[in-house]
Amino acid sequence: EGQVSMYACGPTVYDYAHIGNLRTYIFEDILKRVLLFSGFKVKHVMKVTDVGHLQSDADEGEDKMELGVLREGKTAWEIADFYSKAFFSDFNALNCLPPDVTCKATDHISEMIELVKTLETKGFTYKTEDGIYFDTAKFPSYDRLAGKSHIEGLRSGARVEFSAEKRNPSDFALWKFSPKDKKRQMEWPSPWGTGFPGWHIECSAMAMKYLGETFDIHCGGIDHIAVHHTNEIAQSECATGKPYVNYWVHAEFLTTKDSEKMAKSSGEFLTVSLLGEKGYSPLDYRYLCLGAHYKTQIVFSWEALAFAQKSLSNLRDIIGPHLEKHSPATDTKNIRAQLARFADAATDDLNMPKALSILWETARDKTLAPEDILAFVRETDRVFGLDLMVPRKKERAALPPETMALITEREQARKAKNFARSDELRNELKKHGVAVKDVPGGTEWTIDK
RNA sequence: GGCGCGGUGGCCAAGUGGAAAGGCGGAAGUCUGCAAAACUUCUAUUGCGUGGGUUCGAUUCCCACCCGCGCCUCCA
C-alpha cells in the first residue's frame, strides 16, 4: 500500500557501459520517477555484477572479467572497482536517481550459497563435472514469462550446442566449479567445491535479501526475458514456494543503423564519454531516449542525437528567459488541467513522447503566465529529469585577441554604416568558427562546432 | 531453423473503430542595413507498407503478402 519495491539488474563491470545499456537505466529511472510523482514510496535496489561469467556452456576457464585482467594488467577486483565507478559516473550524469540499495555480487556469496543449498535440499538440483545445475523440468511453469512456444523453440531450434551432461537444454548453473588446472582470481569455497556463483542466482539472492521473497517490480532489458529472468523465477519460486515478482517490465534495445550489434563484446562501442567528445551532453542522450516509448526500439544515429540536442536546446530557450525573470508559482491551480494530462500520459505505461508533447504545448502556451509555465516545468521535470529548471550558463568563451579585434572592427564598421566591410568581417569570423549576431547594444557571438 | 517486434508527413515519433500529438526540418510574414535570434502563421484531409475481408464507417480489428529489425549464446 503506497509503497513499491523495485529491483533492477545492474551493470556487469568489466568494461565501460555503452549507451544501449544506459537506455535501460534511463527507462528504469523514468519508471521510478513516475512512481514517485504518483505519490508512491519506492525502494529501488540495483545489483552490480562484479563476478565474471562465462561466455556460454561450451566455454571453459576464461570469463569476461578474466579477459579484462589480461587486457589491462589489473586484478579482477581492480577492474570491477574501476568500471563500477565509471558506470555510476555515467548513471549520475544521465540524471538517474541513485538506487536506495546498490549491492555487489561479491558481497553476497554466502546468501547465494544458502539459496543453492535450499534448492538442493528441496531436490531441484543435480551435479555435473563443472557445477551444480538447476533442473528446469522440475518447475512446471518454467515457460511462464517467455512463453511456451519460445522455450520449446529454444530446445529445437537453437544454434548452440548444449552441454551433454545437462538434463534439459534450459537447465542452468547455480554454482560453477573453478577449472581444476588453474586458479581463478575470483573464487570462493562452497559445500560443493571451490568456484563461483551462477549469474542468475546472484539476482535472486540479493533481490530477496533486500526486498523480500515477493516484491513488486523487476525490470531490465528485453534480452533478459527468455533466460535470465525466466531462471530467476524458477530458482526463487522453487526455493520459497511463493510468487517471486508481481510485475516484470522490460526495455527494448537501442540499435545502430548499420545493424551492428550494440554489444560490448563487439569491441568498439558508444559510450557517454564518446558522446561528450562529439559535443553532446548526457542529457541530450536522455532526451533522445525520452522521445521514444521504452517498448520500441530506438535506432541510434548521430543525426538523431543532433535532433535531440537541438530540441532540448530550443526547449531551454523557451524556459530560460522565464527563469531569469520569474519564480515558479507556488499554486498549481492554473495548470491543473495540463498537469492532469501530463499525469495521464506518464502513467499510461510511461508514455514519455506524449508527456513531452504536453510539455512543449504548455511551454509555448501564450495564455499561461510565465510563473505558471515554470510551475509546470518544475513539476514535470521531476519525471523528465532534464534539469530544465537549472539556468543555463551564459557561454561567453574567451576568444583569441585577434578574433576579438575582428569583432570590434566589425562593430565600428557597422556604426559607420560600412555594411560591405561588416559583412566581409562576418564571413571572416565564420572562418574562425565564430558566429556573430547583432543585438541591441552590441554583438553576441557563439562558437560553431 | 525456432520465437517475436515493427512499417504513420522530408527525418524522428505518439495515437485512435468515426476524418492523425509533439519535435526536427521546410515555407511565408514581422523585425533587422542584410543576416542571426525571436515572434506570428502555414506545413499528412481519395492518406498512416501492399492486397483482400469484417463494419454504417478502419490507419486502428481479421487474413495474406512485401519490407525492415530484434531475440534464440554472456549480453541492457
Side-chain angles (χ1 to χ4, degrees):
Chain A
E1 186 68 34
Q3 213 158 335
V4 176
S5 45
M6 171 176 162
Y7 180 85
C9 295
T12 305
V13 286
Y14 64 92
D15 208 332
Y16 291 106
H18 61 63
I19 60 173
N21 294 323
L22 294 165
R23 181 195 183 183
T24 300
Y25 301 107
I26 291 171
F27 142 72
E28 286 160 359
D29 185 59
I30 293 295
L31 171 57
K32 178 178 177 178
R33 285 169 176 270
V34 169
L35 289 167
L36 291 168
F37 180 85
S38 304
F40 290 98
K41 284 184 179 157
V42 178
K43 184 172 181 185
H44 172 205
V45 176
M46 183 190 276
K47 175 194 79 163
V48 174
T49 300
D50 55 351
V51 178
H53 291 284
L54 299 176
Q55 309 275 350
S56 72
D57 283 351
D59 284 339
E60 309 229 332
E62 269 149 20
D63 62 42
K64 292 181 172 184
M65 197 67 77
E66 305 255 336
L67 288 173
V69 168
L70 293 173
R71 187 182 65 221
E72 302 187 21
K74 296 176 183 165
T75 69
W77 301 91
E78 284 167 345
I79 288 190
D81 187 55
F82 178 84
Y83 288 112
S84 188
K85 288 196 171 98
F87 171 79
F88 282 103
S89 166
D90 290 345
F91 189 83
N92 292 334
L94 289 163
N95 263 356
C96 293
L97 299 173
D100 301 283
V101 176
T102 305
C103 45
K104 294 197 291 185
T106 51
D107 288 340
H108 298 78
I109 302 296
S110 60
E111 285 87 345
M112 297 170 203
I113 290 174
E114 283 308 308
L115 194 52
V116 178
K117 274 160 81 175
T118 303
L119 287 166
E120 185 179 44
T121 307
K122 294 194 175 183
F124 289 103
T125 67
Y126 61 93
K127 185 176 177 178
T128 73
E129 189 70 18
D130 63 327
I132 303 296
Y133 278 77
F134 182 92
D135 187 346
T136 54
K138 293 191 172 160
F139 183 54
S141 55
Y142 181 73
D143 53 19
R144 195 169 75 221
L145 188 66
K148 193 180 168 97
S149 55
H150 179 89
I151 299 296
E152 282 174 357
L154 182 79
R155 292 169 195 192
S156 63
R159 291 173 313 193
V160 179
E161 287 188 28
F162 294 105
S163 158
E165 275 193 281
K166 290 198 331 188
R167 292 179 188 170
N168 310 288
S170 51
D171 290 356
F172 55 93
L174 296 164
W175 187 265
K176 289 278 275 188
F177 303 135
S178 293
K180 291 192 178 80
D181 52 340
K182 68 190 226 189
K183 186 171 164 59
R184 287 169 53 88
Q185 289 197 11
M186 285 183 167
E187 59 181 18
W188 295 266
S190 84
W192 313 279
T194 300
F196 56 103
W199 177 46
H200 314 298
I201 202 76
E202 293 179 3
C203 280
S204 290
M206 292 193 279
M208 292 197 287
K209 172 174 179 177
Y210 293 106
L211 297 173
E213 293 179 340
T214 300
F215 56 93
D216 296 309
I217 299 177
H218 192 315
C219 27
I222 194 166
D223 53 319
H224 283 330
I225 295 173
V227 178
H228 184 47
H229 292 162
T230 287
N231 291 344
E232 274 189 66
I233 294 172
Q235 68 200 179
S236 304
E237 299 196 351
C238 288
T240 67
K242 295 175 189 166
Y244 178 50
V245 166
N246 293 134
Y247 301 96
W248 291 91
V249 196
H250 295 99
E252 251 292 359
F253 270 26
L254 175 130
T255 60
T256 50
K257 232 167 208 165
D258 48 14
S259 72
E260 210 176 276
K261 201 178 176 192
M262 179 66 73
K264 292 183 187 177
S265 51
S266 69
E268 282 230 325
F269 52 86
L270 295 159
T271 59
V272 166
S273 55
L274 181 62
L275 264 45
E277 283 168 28
K278 301 228 179 190
Y280 298 101
S281 77
L283 294 184
D284 292 336
Y285 178 64
R286 186 178 171 99
Y287 187 95
L288 172 70
C289 290
L290 263 45
H293 189 92
Y294 76 87
K295 273 181 189 164
T296 64
Q297 276 177 25
I298 292 177
V299 180
F300 176 83
S301 66
W302 292 105
E303 192 187 21
L305 186 58
F307 289 158
Q309 181 180 53
K310 178 72 177 161
S311 299
L312 182 56
S313 170
N314 286 354
L315 196 51
R316 292 189 196 285
D317 284 343
I318 296 172
I319 297 164
H322 295 329
L323 273 174
E324 285 169 24
K325 295 176 201 154
H326 307 278
S327 299
T330 48
D331 192 335
T332 57
K333 69 177 181 340
N334 293 333
I335 49 166
R336 194 162 289 156
Q338 289 296 76
L339 278 176
R341 287 179 61 212
F342 168 82
D344 281 348
T347 57
D348 180 13
D349 202 14
L350 313 178
N351 193 333
M352 286 303 112
K354 194 170 187 178
L356 272 180
S357 79
I358 296 163
L359 173 64
W360 276 97
E361 282 175 18
T362 307
R364 287 183 158 163
D365 190 339
K366 297 293 177 234
T367 67
L368 287 172
E371 291 86 346
D372 291 326
I373 290 173
L374 288 177
F376 182 86
V377 172
R378 181 193 58 208
E379 289 305 303
T380 57
D381 200 44
R382 286 164 52 204
V383 170
F384 294 126
L386 292 169
D387 281 350
L388 295 173
M389 295 298 283
V390 178
R392 262 203 296 192
K393 283 172 287 200
K394 295 249 172 166
E395 284 186 29
R396 285 222 126 191
L399 295 175
E402 62 270 24
T403 314
M404 284 305 299
L406 290 174
I407 290 174
T408 311
E409 191 187 340
R410 181 169 171 279
E411 280 175 338
Q412 284 163 354
R414 286 194 69 236
K415 268 182 200 156
K417 301 211 184 289
N418 184 354
F419 297 123
R421 178 64 184 152
S422 78
D423 288 353
E424 200 179 302
L425 286 162
R426 180 161 58 201
N427 288 332
E428 183 64 23
L429 282 160
K430 203 172 179 181
K431 285 181 197 161
H432 290 251
V434 177
V436 289
K437 58 180 179 181
D438 302 314
V439 294
T443 305
E444 276 186 11
W445 70 85
T446 48
I447 296 173
D448 281 343
K449 282 189 210 94

